[in-house]
Amino acid sequence: MPVNRIVCVAGARPNYMKIKPVMDALERHGAEVVLVHTGQHYDESMNDVFFRDLGIRPPDRYLGAGSGTHAQQTGRVMAAFEPLLGELSPDAVVVVGDINSTLACALVAAKAGPLLAHVEAGLRSRDWSMPEEVNRVATDRVSDYLLAPSPDAAANLRAEGYREDQIHVVGNVMIDTLLANLERARASDVLDRYGLTRGGYGLVTLHRPANVDDPDALRGLLKALGEIAGRCPLLLPVHPRAAERLAAVGVPGGIRVVPAAGYLDFVALQDGARVVLTDSGGVQEETTALGVPCVTLRENTERPVTVEEGTNVLAGTDPDRITAVVHRVLDEPPAPRCPALWDGQASERIARILLEGGTARTRLRPTDLAPGLTAGAT
């Protein structure tokens, strides 16, 4: 029985850039695609502007999950998605990334029976304090198709005992969207609006709880950014969850805080920056594809390929180290490099795998586990 009806799930800003090219490719190949928006992100700055910029059609179904604790949010998505999946009876479900909606819909789909495909499978930070790490590992475990963006991600999956027929290195769907919209982004007037010149500023993003929720950690980061701004003025589009915390701590001079940017404006800001400082995984990827120096304000990254084969440098969160790393990058920018298969065709590869790969169940079974491992009893 061929795969015809496919549910594609999106829930938050990081998902939109990943699901759009996959939907387009599946529909070009004749699949019936149902777009389900969980509502994990719902305000205009994190939702509507991205749908407009990317040309994503309105979702076919909206679950209205809203905000809350990780357990509350995950539970609400599962409770809403389960009856919908029963109604739609899809042949396959596609989830992307590592947000709470990804895991919630993956768990429901795994129990309901349709094939489950995880886009961005195999990414690992090995930092279990990050909720995203729990989400991505658990999602991979219940998925049939593990669609990895790079060979290092595939190597992680092999090391965890997944079979070769589950693992597909397809490239990076974020880069599909970036390349498809790059000329439109470069036509944006956002640099003029902010009085910026190409190569004359640094761009900063901060949103990880470890960086913005702890006032002492945030003060340390802002101290480093203030010193860097003395050499290279910095622009900081404010993520909604960070706005109040930044205001409470106080932002040093030389750092210009502006509202959160839409997709096209933000790509233009990345493309024109002398350096980008970030704690975002997606920004590490986009700057690598653009050839722009990136300094990651984290102790680890689930995207080491951007360091090994891209323009990313891992600086950690110590203020003195961050300052030293950024000065070194400004003095000697890394040479532009881009990983293989980050060529704008990842979504085409995904569509062919899902639509031509048949419907054989490929999910990891207890008998597939490595020697010495056993599945837990229920």
mmCIF file of all heavy atoms in Angstrom, residues 203-235:
data_model
loop_
_atom_site.group_PDB
_atom_site.id
_atom_site.type_symbol
_atom_site.label_atom_id
_atom_site.label_comp_id
_atom_site.label_asym_id
_atom_site.label_seq_id
_atom_site.Cartn_x
_atom_site.Cartn_y
_atom_site.Cartn_z
ATOM 1 N N LEU A 203 25.493 40.765 15.093
ATOM 2 C CA LEU A 203 24.111 40.384 15.369
ATOM 3 C C LEU A 203 24.103 39.404 16.530
ATOM 4 O O LEU A 203 24.925 38.485 16.576
ATOM 5 C CB LEU A 203 23.489 39.745 14.129
ATOM 6 C CG LEU A 203 22.040 39.271 14.230
ATOM 7 C CD1 LEU A 203 21.088 40.445 14.396
ATOM 8 C CD2 LEU A 203 21.663 38.448 12.984
ATOM 9 N N VAL A 204 23.183 39.603 17.470
ATOM 10 C CA VAL A 204 23.113 38.756 18.665
ATOM 11 C C VAL A 204 21.714 38.161 18.791
ATOM 12 O O VAL A 204 20.712 38.850 18.562
ATOM 13 C CB VAL A 204 23.425 39.569 19.938
ATOM 14 C CG1 VAL A 204 23.379 38.665 21.173
ATOM 15 C CG2 VAL A 204 24.777 40.265 19.825
ATOM 16 N N THR A 205 21.645 36.876 19.155
ATOM 17 C CA THR A 205 20.368 36.282 19.566
ATOM 18 C C THR A 205 20.578 35.553 20.885
ATOM 19 O O THR A 205 21.575 34.860 21.080
ATOM 20 C CB THR A 205 19.804 35.287 18.533
ATOM 21 O OG1 THR A 205 20.510 34.042 18.592
ATOM 22 C CG2 THR A 205 19.887 35.857 17.121
ATOM 23 N N LEU A 206 19.636 35.720 21.798
ATOM 24 C CA LEU A 206 19.647 35.037 23.096
ATOM 25 C C LEU A 206 18.241 34.563 23.417
ATOM 26 O O LEU A 206 17.313 35.368 23.417
ATOM 27 C CB LEU A 206 20.118 35.980 24.207
ATOM 28 C CG LEU A 206 21.587 36.411 24.228
ATOM 29 C CD1 LEU A 206 21.792 37.472 25.310
ATOM 30 C CD2 LEU A 206 22.498 35.224 24.470
ATOM 31 N N HIS A 207 18.094 33.274 23.674
ATOM 32 C CA HIS A 207 16.776 32.794 24.092
ATOM 33 C C HIS A 207 16.826 31.534 24.938
ATOM 34 O O HIS A 207 15.838 31.192 25.579
ATOM 35 C CB HIS A 207 15.876 32.542 22.871
ATOM 36 C CG HIS A 207 16.176 31.266 22.150
ATOM 37 N ND1 HIS A 207 17.221 31.144 21.279
ATOM 38 C CD2 HIS A 207 15.569 30.049 22.190
ATOM 39 C CE1 HIS A 207 17.245 29.914 20.798
ATOM 40 N NE2 HIS A 207 16.274 29.224 21.335
ATOM 41 N N ARG A 208 17.945 30.826 24.983
ATOM 42 C CA ARG A 208 18.010 29.580 25.755
ATOM 43 C C ARG A 208 17.766 29.864 27.234
ATOM 44 O O ARG A 208 18.331 30.809 27.800
ATOM 45 C CB ARG A 208 19.377 28.927 25.587
ATOM 46 C CG ARG A 208 19.681 28.465 24.174
ATOM 47 C CD ARG A 208 19.234 27.061 23.934
ATOM 48 N NE ARG A 208 19.419 26.684 22.533
ATOM 49 C CZ ARG A 208 18.870 25.625 21.976
ATOM 50 N NH1 ARG A 208 18.080 24.862 22.696
ATOM 51 N NH2 ARG A 208 19.078 25.340 20.720
ATOM 52 N N PRO A 209 16.951 29.035 27.892
ATOM 53 C CA PRO A 209 16.695 29.257 29.320
ATOM 54 C C PRO A 209 17.969 29.348 30.153
ATOM 55 O O PRO A 209 18.046 30.160 31.081
ATOM 56 C CB PRO A 209 15.855 28.026 29.703
ATOM 57 C CG PRO A 209 15.143 27.656 28.445
ATOM 58 C CD PRO A 209 16.123 27.937 27.341
ATOM 59 N N ALA A 210 18.975 28.536 29.849
ATOM 60 C CA ALA A 210 20.207 28.566 30.630
ATOM 61 C C ALA A 210 20.904 29.909 30.536
ATOM 62 O O ALA A 210 21.654 30.293 31.442
ATOM 63 C CB ALA A 210 21.152 27.455 30.164
ATOM 64 N N ASN A 211 20.669 30.639 29.454
ATOM 65 C CA ASN A 211 21.319 31.938 29.264
ATOM 66 C C ASN A 211 20.486 33.109 29.749
ATOM 67 O O ASN A 211 21.037 34.101 30.226
ATOM 68 C CB ASN A 211 21.661 32.152 27.787
ATOM 69 C CG ASN A 211 22.898 31.382 27.356
ATOM 70 O OD1 ASN A 211 23.696 30.957 28.188
ATOM 71 N ND2 ASN A 211 23.057 31.197 26.059
ATOM 72 N N VAL A 212 19.168 33.022 29.632
ATOM 73 C CA VAL A 212 18.350 34.205 29.922
ATOM 74 C C VAL A 212 17.534 34.103 31.206
ATOM 75 O O VAL A 212 17.092 35.127 31.733
ATOM 76 C CB VAL A 212 17.411 34.547 28.738
ATOM 77 C CG1 VAL A 212 18.205 34.810 27.482
ATOM 78 C CG2 VAL A 212 16.391 33.446 28.501
ATOM 79 N N ASP A 213 17.337 32.900 31.734
ATOM 80 C CA ASP A 213 16.494 32.760 32.920
ATOM 81 C C ASP A 213 17.257 32.972 34.224
ATOM 82 O O ASP A 213 16.653 33.293 35.244
ATOM 83 C CB ASP A 213 15.829 31.381 32.943
ATOM 84 C CG ASP A 213 14.732 31.240 31.892
ATOM 85 O OD1 ASP A 213 14.470 32.238 31.190
ATOM 86 O OD2 ASP A 213 14.157 30.152 31.775
ATOM 87 N N ASP A 214 18.558 32.764 34.196
ATOM 88 C CA ASP A 214 19.400 32.973 35.373
ATOM 89 C C ASP A 214 19.978 34.383 35.307
ATOM 90 O O ASP A 214 20.800 34.678 34.434
ATOM 91 C CB ASP A 214 20.525 31.942 35.393
ATOM 92 C CG ASP A 214 21.430 32.059 36.603
ATOM 93 O OD1 ASP A 214 21.485 33.145 37.218
ATOM 94 O OD2 ASP A 214 22.110 31.068 36.932
ATOM 95 N N PRO A 215 19.573 35.291 36.191
ATOM 96 C CA PRO A 215 20.048 36.681 36.116
ATOM 97 C C PRO A 215 21.567 36.799 36.148
ATOM 98 O O PRO A 215 22.144 37.642 35.445
ATOM 99 C CB PRO A 215 19.408 37.346 37.347
ATOM 100 C CG PRO A 215 18.200 36.522 37.632
ATOM 101 C CD PRO A 215 18.573 35.117 37.272
ATOM 102 N N ASP A 216 22.239 35.964 36.946
ATOM 103 C CA ASP A 216 23.701 36.044 37.012
ATOM 104 C C ASP A 216 24.329 35.623 35.684
ATOM 105 O O ASP A 216 25.285 36.260 35.210
ATOM 106 C CB ASP A 216 24.225 35.162 38.145
ATOM 107 C CG ASP A 216 23.882 35.715 39.520
ATOM 108 O OD1 ASP A 216 23.689 36.947 39.625
ATOM 109 O OD2 ASP A 216 23.792 34.915 40.473
ATOM 110 N N ALA A 217 23.810 34.547 35.093
ATOM 111 C CA ALA A 217 24.327 34.113 33.799
ATOM 112 C C ALA A 217 24.086 35.182 32.740
ATOM 113 O O ALA A 217 24.969 35.474 31.915
ATOM 114 C CB ALA A 217 23.671 32.795 33.388
ATOM 115 N N LEU A 218 22.898 35.787 32.757
ATOM 116 C CA LEU A 218 22.579 36.817 31.774
ATOM 117 C C LEU A 218 23.468 38.040 31.957
ATOM 118 O O LEU A 218 23.945 38.620 30.974
ATOM 119 C CB LEU A 218 21.104 37.191 31.892
ATOM 120 C CG LEU A 218 20.570 38.185 30.857
ATOM 121 C CD1 LEU A 218 20.824 37.709 29.440
ATOM 122 C CD2 LEU A 218 19.086 38.441 31.089
ATOM 123 N N ARG A 219 23.725 38.436 33.203
ATOM 124 C CA ARG A 219 24.617 39.577 33.448
ATOM 125 C C ARG A 219 26.014 39.307 32.896
ATOM 126 O O ARG A 219 26.653 40.194 32.323
ATOM 127 C CB ARG A 219 24.697 39.875 34.944
ATOM 128 C CG ARG A 219 23.466 40.535 35.530
ATOM 129 C CD ARG A 219 23.701 41.005 36.953
ATOM 130 N NE ARG A 219 22.455 41.394 37.580
ATOM 131 C CZ ARG A 219 21.711 40.596 38.348
ATOM 132 N NH1 ARG A 219 22.125 39.357 38.603
ATOM 133 N NH2 ARG A 219 20.581 41.028 38.868
ATOM 134 N N GLY A 220 26.491 38.077 33.085
ATOM 135 C CA GLY A 220 27.806 37.735 32.570
ATOM 136 C C GLY A 220 27.868 37.825 31.055
ATOM 137 O O GLY A 220 28.835 38.371 30.491
ATOM 138 N N LEU A 221 26.845 37.312 30.388
ATOM 139 C CA LEU A 221 26.803 37.390 28.929
ATOM 140 C C LEU A 221 26.751 38.842 28.457
ATOM 141 O O LEU A 221 27.448 39.236 27.516
ATOM 142 C CB LEU A 221 25.600 36.624 28.394
ATOM 143 C CG LEU A 221 25.663 35.098 28.480
ATOM 144 C CD1 LEU A 221 24.331 34.494 28.047
ATOM 145 C CD2 LEU A 221 26.792 34.557 27.615
ATOM 146 N N LEU A 222 25.918 39.650 29.114
ATOM 147 C CA LEU A 222 25.790 41.055 28.705
ATOM 148 C C LEU A 222 27.077 41.825 28.983
ATOM 149 O O LEU A 222 27.429 42.741 28.220
ATOM 150 C CB LEU A 222 24.606 41.688 29.423
ATOM 151 C CG LEU A 222 23.229 41.187 28.972
ATOM 152 C CD1 LEU A 222 22.137 41.749 29.875
ATOM 153 C CD2 LEU A 222 22.969 41.574 27.519
ATOM 154 N N LYS A 223 27.792 41.459 30.033
ATOM 155 C CA LYS A 223 29.090 42.088 30.296
ATOM 156 C C LYS A 223 30.042 41.834 29.122
ATOM 157 O O LYS A 223 30.701 42.765 28.618
ATOM 158 C CB LYS A 223 29.685 41.536 31.583
ATOM 159 C CG LYS A 223 31.107 42.022 31.891
ATOM 160 C CD LYS A 223 31.607 41.412 33.192
ATOM 161 C CE LYS A 223 33.056 41.831 33.487
ATOM 162 N NZ LYS A 223 34.003 41.236 32.540
ATOM 163 N N ALA A 224 30.098 40.580 28.677
ATOM 164 C CA ALA A 224 30.957 40.255 27.537
ATOM 165 C C ALA A 224 30.498 40.984 26.279
ATOM 166 O O ALA A 224 31.315 41.539 25.537
ATOM 167 C CB ALA A 224 30.952 38.747 27.307
ATOM 168 N N LEU A 225 29.193 41.001 26.048
ATOM 169 C CA LEU A 225 28.671 41.671 24.858
ATOM 170 C C LEU A 225 28.958 43.163 24.893
ATOM 171 O O LEU A 225 29.249 43.787 23.864
ATOM 172 C CB LEU A 225 27.169 41.424 24.738
ATOM 173 C CG LEU A 225 26.737 39.964 24.491
ATOM 174 C CD1 LEU A 225 25.226 39.855 24.484
ATOM 175 C CD2 LEU A 225 27.327 39.441 23.193
ATOM 176 N N GLY A 226 28.883 43.762 26.089
ATOM 177 C CA GLY A 226 29.188 45.186 26.212
ATOM 178 C C GLY A 226 30.632 45.485 25.839
ATOM 179 O O GLY A 226 30.917 46.499 25.178
ATOM 180 N N GLU A 227 31.558 44.617 26.235
ATOM 181 C CA GLU A 227 32.958 44.821 25.869
ATOM 182 C C GLU A 227 33.171 44.666 24.365
ATOM 183 O O GLU A 227 33.905 45.438 23.741
ATOM 184 C CB GLU A 227 33.841 43.843 26.641
ATOM 185 C CG GLU A 227 33.864 44.091 28.138
ATOM 186 C CD GLU A 227 34.752 43.107 28.882
ATOM 187 O OE1 GLU A 227 35.591 42.460 28.198
ATOM 188 O OE2 GLU A 227 34.614 42.979 30.105
ATOM 189 N N ILE A 228 32.507 43.673 23.788
ATOM 190 C CA ILE A 228 32.616 43.454 22.337
ATOM 191 C C ILE A 228 32.032 44.626 21.567
ATOM 192 O O ILE A 228 32.567 45.050 20.534
ATOM 193 C CB ILE A 228 31.904 42.139 21.962
ATOM 194 C CG1 ILE A 228 32.639 40.952 22.597
ATOM 195 C CG2 ILE A 228 31.803 41.981 20.453
ATOM 196 C CD1 ILE A 228 31.801 39.696 22.673
ATOM 197 N N ALA A 229 30.935 45.187 22.084
ATOM 198 C CA ALA A 229 30.275 46.309 21.402
ATOM 199 C C ALA A 229 31.169 47.544 21.312
ATOM 200 O O ALA A 229 30.954 48.401 20.463
ATOM 201 C CB ALA A 229 28.968 46.652 22.112
ATOM 202 N N GLY A 230 32.175 47.629 22.190
ATOM 203 C CA GLY A 230 33.123 48.726 22.088
ATOM 204 C C GLY A 230 33.942 48.675 20.820
ATOM 205 O O GLY A 230 34.469 49.703 20.357
ATOM 206 N N ARG A 231 34.069 47.486 20.246
ATOM 207 C CA ARG A 231 34.807 47.330 18.999
ATOM 208 C C ARG A 231 33.884 47.168 17.800
ATOM 209 O O ARG A 231 34.188 47.639 16.695
ATOM 210 C CB ARG A 231 35.717 46.099 19.109
ATOM 211 C CG ARG A 231 36.496 45.812 17.846
ATOM 212 C CD ARG A 231 37.471 44.671 18.035
ATOM 213 N NE ARG A 231 38.177 44.378 16.808
ATOM 214 C CZ ARG A 231 39.011 43.357 16.652
ATOM 215 N NH1 ARG A 231 39.258 42.536 17.673
ATOM 216 N NH2 ARG A 231 39.608 43.147 15.487
ATOM 217 N N CYS A 232 32.766 46.469 18.007
ATOM 218 C CA CYS A 232 31.832 46.194 16.908
ATOM 219 C C CYS A 232 30.419 46.381 17.448
ATOM 220 O O CYS A 232 29.975 45.587 18.282
ATOM 221 C CB CYS A 232 32.022 44.756 16.407
ATOM 222 S SG CYS A 232 30.888 44.231 15.100
ATOM 223 N N PRO A 233 29.705 47.418 17.055
ATOM 224 C CA PRO A 233 28.353 47.643 17.587
ATOM 225 C C PRO A 233 27.464 46.430 17.329
ATOM 226 O O PRO A 233 27.562 45.766 16.295
ATOM 227 C CB PRO A 233 27.859 48.881 16.825
ATOM 228 C CG PRO A 233 28.747 48.987 15.633
ATOM 229 C CD PRO A 233 30.067 48.413 16.020
ATOM 230 N N LEU A 234 26.587 46.140 18.303
ATOM 231 C CA LEU A 234 25.782 44.933 18.257
ATOM 232 C C LEU A 234 24.294 45.247 18.167
ATOM 233 O O LEU A 234 23.809 46.167 18.827
ATOM 234 C CB LEU A 234 26.030 44.082 19.508
ATOM 235 C CG LEU A 234 27.475 43.611 19.738
ATOM 236 C CD1 LEU A 234 27.578 42.847 21.050
ATOM 237 C CD2 LEU A 234 27.965 42.747 18.575
ATOM 238 N N LEU A 235 23.598 44.459 17.379
ATOM 239 C CA LEU A 235 22.144 44.547 17.245
ATOM 240 C C LEU A 235 21.545 43.292 17.857
ATOM 241 O O LEU A 235 21.947 42.171 17.531
ATOM 242 C CB LEU A 235 21.745 44.652 15.773
ATOM 243 C CG LEU A 235 20.255 44.909 15.505
ATOM 244 C CD1 LEU A 235 19.934 46.384 15.756
ATOM 245 C CD2 LEU A 235 19.887 44.523 14.067
#
